[in-house]
């Protein structure tokens, strides 16, 4: 280190310093890199001799320590810094104003073009004058760089100040002066932020500004522009998929702003809404529901029923109802929410399109697949025509929703095409690990599995599960959905033991996250039951399916597709236990209900029909069985194609199964 210090000084001061002088100076500075950098810069810039510098250095530490500088900073460091600052004040005092501003950013690189004149009045006139003169500003920046008080990167056009220098500069200022400079920094950050983070350039700018949010203390601001910037940061974090940081920042903003402005302040209410959304994304459903109920009452009272924040609170309640398993309650609620959005904001407003999307999800969860597909298609086209300014995750959400709805009506090939397009878009625009991209990947894996593309489905399912584990841990709702997708895919590829182990573990975790009476919990249990039957334990399978069916009937009714899917599997359990009479009876009832719910050609109807044919043959109802076979055979070919795995299984007289895939809530 001693040799490195000497070599550094000789390089930094190419003329006017001998090795002996460099050794003497390095020793006096304690070989501290930042002190060496500043000493070299000062000597090189001013032509000061070694003797002059060492004389000043000998005097400065005592005066600095008398001024109460923190004792943890070495005296050589503070002395070298003070010498540079003193000389800077003499040569270019306005550069010190710029340096003080830099001291209240973070220690990460600051975009140089942040230093631009603003129209707001909280920037001091002398600073505003400097920012308004690009020649003087460049001179000040250059001088700070030459004195090694900042690090200037011309290629990225950034300025960086060492955290130690920032601390020393802030320590020189009174509390009032610190507040003044902080407010200037808040205005500069606010002015530098794009209106939205919907395109790569805007997202890049927010990434540059993000490291300076907390160090600048912007959460302490009461001004509308800085608070508006803070809320934009929350939106950017959501757009980029950083839900955990968004939750932490939102909680911090809510606490500080509520204390300063009261709970009814508009910025507080908006931050509360964003905080609730982030809680929901983390699976904290009860906490979110309680907060959203309070917020809806509050926004209606303070802002009125037609305000956009009130409408956003209503949409939050709909999401909470879905998360609680109250699918019909969510449908009714979201129908009214969409009506209010259209009346208040118009039919093509981005918030209205999101309200339409929520309703489309409700329709899928209440078994109205055709209506859901039609609404998803309408949303997608409206967005393409009118939503050019919206964020990429919204387009991905609508394209993914359309792919999901197409799969649910039974068009697996088209669902794969749409899903593949959506996944490619998500990876390109948002990244492979973005939550929306991963959700799209899980659903594409399901579509591929249903379409018979098992190798590709397994590859996507494994990758999605691995990414979810890495990003969110084992107990996040999205990880659980990815796990169940992988278990179902393993079952289809014959890896039954692995599938059962993962499905049972996921089933237990669903119970902990959603509660024992949630439809998703019962659906996951039915997947476990299916694997028990396939592994040779139909008794255990029947027990599990009967419990799940009872729970789903209590929650959703017998005519919901989840419940009817379990009756398909339960009939197979009965057949495996040689109770073919009751299997046929249950199959007849299920087929009647499924046809009424989904029509004659839906894959679930065809699955139920195929199994009923086998059970009718087993109970000597050959005439009814052959009549049903003749009805269903051309439907299998028309719906799936002759070469599809399901068509081939039907023609081979194999029993078909229903499996459950958790949907987006």
């Amino acid at each position: 280190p001693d040799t490195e210090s000497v070599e550094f000084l000789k390089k930094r001061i190419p003329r006017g310093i001998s090795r002996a002088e460099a050794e003497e100076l390095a020793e006096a500075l304690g070989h501290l890199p930042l002190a060496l950098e500043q000493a070299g810069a000062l000597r090189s810039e001013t032509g000061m001799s070694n003797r002059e510098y060492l004389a000043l250095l000998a005097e400065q530490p005592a005066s600095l320590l008398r001024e109460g500088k923190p004792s943890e900073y070495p005296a050589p460091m503070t002395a070298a810094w003070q010498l540079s600052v003193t000389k800077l004040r003499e040569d270019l005092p306005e550069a010190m104003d710029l340096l003080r501003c830099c001291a209240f950013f973070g220690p990460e690189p600051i975009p140089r073009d942040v230093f631009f004149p603003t129209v707001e009045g909280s920037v001091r006139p002398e600073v505003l004058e400097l920012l308004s003169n690009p020649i003087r500003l460049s001179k000040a920046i250059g001088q700070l760089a030459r004195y090694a008080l900042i690090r200037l990167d011309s290629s990225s056009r950034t300025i960086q100040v060492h955290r130690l220098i920032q601390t020393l500069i802030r320590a020189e200022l009174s509390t009032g002066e610190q507040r003044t400079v902080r407010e200037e920094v808040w205005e500069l950050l606010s002015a530098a932020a794009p209106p939205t983070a919907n395109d790569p350039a805007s997202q890049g700018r927010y990434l540059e500004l993000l490291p300076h949010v907390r160090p600048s203390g912007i959460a302490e601001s009461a001004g509308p522009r800085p608070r508006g910037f803070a809320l934009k940061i929350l939106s950017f974090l959501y757009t980029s998929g950083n839900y955990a940081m968004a939750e932490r920042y939102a909680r911090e903003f809510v606490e500080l702003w509520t204390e300063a402005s009261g709970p009814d302040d508009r910025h507080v209410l908006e931050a509360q809404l964003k905080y609730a959304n982030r809680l929901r994304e983390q699976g904290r459903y009860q906490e979110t529901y309680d907060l959203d109920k309070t917020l809806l009452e509050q926004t209606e009272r303070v802002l009125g029923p037609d305000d956009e924040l009130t409408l956003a609170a209503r949409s939050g309640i709909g999401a909470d109802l879905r998360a609680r398993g109250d699918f019909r309650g969510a449908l009714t609620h979201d129908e009214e929410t969409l009506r209010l959005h259209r009346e208040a904001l118009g039919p093509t407003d981005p918030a209205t399109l999101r309200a339409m999307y929520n309703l489309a999800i409700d329709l899928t969860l209440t078994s109205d697949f055709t209506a859901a597909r039609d609404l998803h298609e309408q949303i997608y086209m409206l967005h393409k025509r009118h939503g050019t300014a919206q964020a990429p995750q919204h387009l991905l959400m609508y394209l993914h929703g359309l792919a999901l709805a197409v799969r649910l009506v039974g068009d697996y090939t088209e669902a794969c095409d749409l899903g593949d397009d959506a996944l490619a878009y998500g990876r390109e625009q948002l990244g492979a690990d973005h939550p929306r991209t991963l959700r799209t990947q899980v659903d594409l894996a399901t579509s591929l599995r249903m379409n018979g593309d098992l190798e590709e489905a397994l590859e996507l399912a494994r990758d999605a599960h691995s990414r979810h584990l890495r990003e969110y841990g084992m107990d996040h709702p999205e990880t659980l959905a990815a796990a169940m997708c992988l278990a179902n895919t393993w079952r289809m590829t014959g890896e039954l033991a692995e599938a059962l182990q993962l499905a049972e573990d996921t089933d237990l975790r669903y119970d902990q996250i959603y509660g024992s009476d949630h439809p998703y919990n019962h659906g996951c249990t039915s997947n476990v039951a299916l694997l028990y039957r396939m592994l040779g334990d139909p008794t255990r399978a029947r027990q599990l399916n009967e419990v799940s069916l009872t729970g789903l009937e209590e929650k959703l009714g017998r005519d919901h597709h989840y419940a009817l899917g379990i009756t398909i599997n339960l009939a197979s359990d009965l057949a495996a236990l040689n109770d073919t009479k009751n299997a046929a009876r249950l199959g007849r009832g299920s087929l009647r209900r499924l046809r009424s719910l989904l029509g004659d050609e839906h894959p679930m109807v065809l699955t139920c029909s195929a199994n009923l044919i086998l059970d009718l043959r087993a109970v000597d109802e050959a005439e009814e069985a052959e009549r049903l076979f003749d009805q269903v055979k051309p439907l299998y070919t028309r719906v799936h194609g002759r070469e599809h795995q399901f068509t081939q299984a039907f023609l081979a007289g194999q029993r078909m199964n229903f499996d459950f895939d958790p949907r987006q809530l």
Side-chain angles (χ1 to χ4, degrees):
D2 295 1
T3 303
E4 291 176 5
S5 300
V6 171
E7 293 302 323
F8 173 82
L9 286 172
K10 286 180 65 62
K11 184 177 180 181
R12 190 70 174 83
I13 314 170
R15 291 191 299 272
I17 191 169
S18 65
R19 174 167 288 275
E21 288 175 328
E23 290 174 352
E24 184 180 21
L25 184 55
E27 185 66 28
L29 294 170
H31 302 278
L32 296 168
L34 191 54
L36 293 168
E37 173 71 21
Q38 291 187 344
L42 186 62
R43 280 212 49 191
S44 178
E45 182 65 22
T46 64
M48 184 183 298
S49 71
N50 214 49
R51 180 174 297 181
E52 290 173 317
Y53 188 91
L54 288 171
L56 287 171
L57 187 63
E59 298 169 3
Q60 289 292 349
S63 62
L64 285 172
L65 294 174
R66 281 197 303 271
E67 292 173 12
K69 290 296 184 294
S71 59
E72 63 266 24
Y73 301 127
M77 174 62 247
T78 54
W81 166 78
Q82 189 64 52
L83 288 176
S84 297
V85 166
T86 300
K87 191 62 180 173
L88 183 66
R89 283 197 183 104
E90 295 173 0
D91 294 348
L92 195 65
E94 58 195 14
M96 277 305 300
D97 289 319
L98 182 62
L99 186 60
R100 289 190 187 103
C101 265
C102 293
F104 290 89
F105 285 84
E108 289 76 14
I110 308 165
R112 181 168 172 169
D113 57 8
V114 164
F115 298 103
F116 192 81
T118 69
V119 297
E120 297 299 313
S122 41
V123 177
R124 289 170 295 157
E126 59 269 30
V127 175
L128 194 58
E129 184 180 354
L130 176 64
L131 299 182
S132 301
N133 190 321
I135 296 175
R136 289 174 61 195
L137 178 61
S138 293
K139 182 179 179 181
I141 292 173
Q143 196 76 339
L144 290 171
R146 284 190 290 272
Y147 278 71
L149 291 167
I150 67 171
R151 186 176 299 278
L152 185 60
D153 189 329
S154 300
S155 61
S156 64
R157 290 187 55 77
T158 59
I159 297 168
Q160 190 169 9
V161 185
H162 195 283
R163 68 178 70 246
L164 180 55
I165 293 177
Q166 290 179 316
T167 302
L168 291 168
I169 292 171
R170 292 195 298 266
E172 277 200 327
L173 303 177
S174 68
T175 302
E177 289 172 328
Q178 288 187 17
R179 179 73 184 187
T180 297
V181 180
R182 279 191 190 277
E183 289 178 352
E184 290 178 349
V185 171
W186 297 341
E187 289 297 338
L188 293 174
L189 286 170
S190 302
T196 67
N198 294 347
D199 58 84
S202 298
Q203 291 163 11
R205 169 43 60 97
Y206 274 102
L207 277 174
E208 292 174 335
L209 300 179
L210 181 61
H212 306 288
V213 172
R214 178 158 283 157
S216 71
I218 204 165
E220 300 170 15
S221 171
R225 273 167 56 93
R227 283 190 176 181
F229 168 68
L231 292 169
K232 289 177 184 177
I233 285 291
L234 296 182
S235 297
F236 164 69
L237 290 171
Y238 168 71
T239 299
S240 60
N242 195 338
Y243 297 157
M245 182 179 287
E247 185 264 325
R248 291 196 302 271
Y249 275 20
R251 184 175 63 246
E252 181 180 336
F253 297 159
V254 167
E255 290 173 355
L256 291 173
W257 295 353
T258 300
E259 183 178 349
S261 306
D264 291 342
D265 177 81
R266 185 178 184 89
H267 294 113
V268 172
L269 293 173
E270 186 171 353
Q272 286 270 45
L273 285 168
K274 292 180 182 295
Y275 178 57
N277 289 337
R278 301 299 79 79
L279 291 179
R280 189 185 306 108
E281 295 285 354
Q282 295 180 52
R284 294 157 65 177
Y285 296 129
Q286 185 60 49
E287 190 177 348
T288 307
Y289 181 58
D290 293 340
L291 178 56
D292 276 337
K293 285 196 302 181
T294 301
L295 281 172
L296 182 56
E297 295 171 0
Q298 205 171 352
T299 52
E300 285 183 331
R301 172 176 53 81
V302 175
L303 305 173
D306 295 333
D307 189 271
E308 60 182 348
L309 293 187
T310 305
L311 296 174
R314 284 193 60 88
S315 292
I317 291 288
D320 297 334
L321 291 171
R322 286 192 294 276
R324 293 165 66 86
D326 185 2
F327 300 155
R328 297 194 185 282
L331 176 66
T332 302
H333 177 89
D334 285 340
E335 286 174 336
E336 176 66 7
T337 298
L338 177 56
R339 183 186 68 78
L340 292 171
H341 271 79
R342 283 171 168 161
E343 290 178 359
L345 304 177
T348 61
D349 186 87
T352 303
L353 296 186
R354 292 193 292 273
M356 291 174 68
Y357 177 84
N358 292 338
L359 181 59
I361 294 297
D362 296 332
L363 290 169
T364 66
L365 293 170
T366 52
S367 309
D368 198 345
F369 300 148
T370 301
R373 180 199 58 194
D374 294 345
L375 186 55
H376 273 299
E377 186 172 10
Q378 183 183 354
I379 296 163
Y380 178 73
M381 294 307 298
L382 284 171
H383 175 86
K384 293 289 285 185
R385 291 193 186 104
H386 305 284
T388 53
Q390 291 195 54
Q393 80 267 18
H394 290 137
L395 178 57
L396 177 59
M397 184 168 69
Y398 301 146
L399 184 56
H400 163 233
L402 181 58
L404 170 63
V406 167
R407 169 161 61 83
L408 291 176
V409 297
D411 191 344
Y412 300 142
T413 301
E414 180 65 21
C416 289
D417 292 341
L418 286 168
D420 189 63
D421 185 25
L423 181 59
Y425 177 82
R427 286 173 169 172
E428 177 186 352
Q429 294 294 320
L430 301 174
D433 289 331
H434 191 281
R436 285 281 172 196
T437 305
L438 288 176
R439 186 176 289 175
T440 301
Q441 181 171 334
V442 169
D443 267 334
L444 176 57
T446 301
S447 296
L448 289 166
R449 184 181 84 237
M450 301 303 287
N451 200 45
D453 302 317
L454 298 183
E455 185 175 346
E456 187 177 355
L458 183 58
E459 181 182 351
L460 281 180
R462 277 179 169 156
D463 179 70
H465 184 236
S466 175
R467 290 177 184 272
H468 277 95
L469 286 173
R470 184 177 66 248
E471 294 292 323
Y472 307 116
M474 296 182 70
D475 293 320
H476 192 280
E478 298 288 352
T479 305
L480 298 182
M484 194 52 70
C485 173
L486 178 57
N488 285 335
T489 310
W490 270 337
R491 190 198 76 249
M492 292 283 285
T493 57
E495 298 169 83
L496 301 183
E498 294 88 342
L500 178 60
Q501 182 179 2
L502 182 57
E504 283 194 307
D505 178 74
T506 305
D507 188 26
L508 290 173
R509 295 178 190 278
Y510 261 106
D511 187 23
Q512 295 165 6
I513 295 293
Y514 289 101
S516 59
D517 67 337
H518 195 283
Y520 281 12
N521 188 50
H522 297 307
C524 288
T525 301
S526 72
N527 284 345
V528 174
L530 171 57
L531 286 161
Y532 270 113
R533 172 164 53 81
M534 295 184 72
L535 285 164
D537 192 349
T539 301
R540 177 64 173 155
R542 175 183 177 177
Q543 292 170 345
L544 291 173
N545 273 326
E546 287 177 340
V547 170
S548 294
L549 181 58
T550 300
L552 280 174
E553 287 182 338
E554 291 176 357
K555 191 76 174 180
L556 302 176
R558 184 62 173 268
D559 289 325
H560 191 279
H561 67 282
Y562 287 172
L564 291 171
I566 291 180
T567 64
I568 292 174
N569 290 345
L570 181 57
S572 294
D573 300 337
L574 294 171
L577 292 167
N578 295 317
D579 189 358
T580 50
K581 181 178 180 181
N582 281 320
R585 181 181 59 79
L586 182 58
R588 283 193 183 100
S590 298
L591 181 58
R592 183 178 68 254
R593 292 172 182 271
L594 281 165
R595 281 175 168 170
S596 176
L597 182 68
L598 302 174
D600 292 343
E601 297 187 10
H602 192 275
M604 282 187 70
V605 175
L606 300 183
T607 293
C608 185
S609 300
N611 290 350
L612 179 57
I613 290 168
L614 299 179
D615 294 332
L616 290 172
R617 288 170 176 168
V619 294
D620 296 327
E621 297 283 353
E623 184 177 345
E624 182 182 354
E626 297 315 309
R627 186 167 59 250
L628 182 58
F629 179 86
D630 291 339
Q631 292 173 0
V632 171
K633 181 180 177 180
L635 297 181
Y636 260 98
T637 302
R638 182 158 68 243
V639 171
H640 294 304
R642 180 169 293 278
E643 303 304 320
H644 193 278
Q645 58 182 343
F646 294 159
T647 304
Q648 293 299 309
F650 166 74
L651 294 174
Q654 298 174 9
R655 189 165 287 274
M656 316 287 279
N657 298 307
F658 166 81
D659 57 26
F660 167 80
D661 280 291
R663 309 277 184 259
Q664 174 192 5
L665 293 175

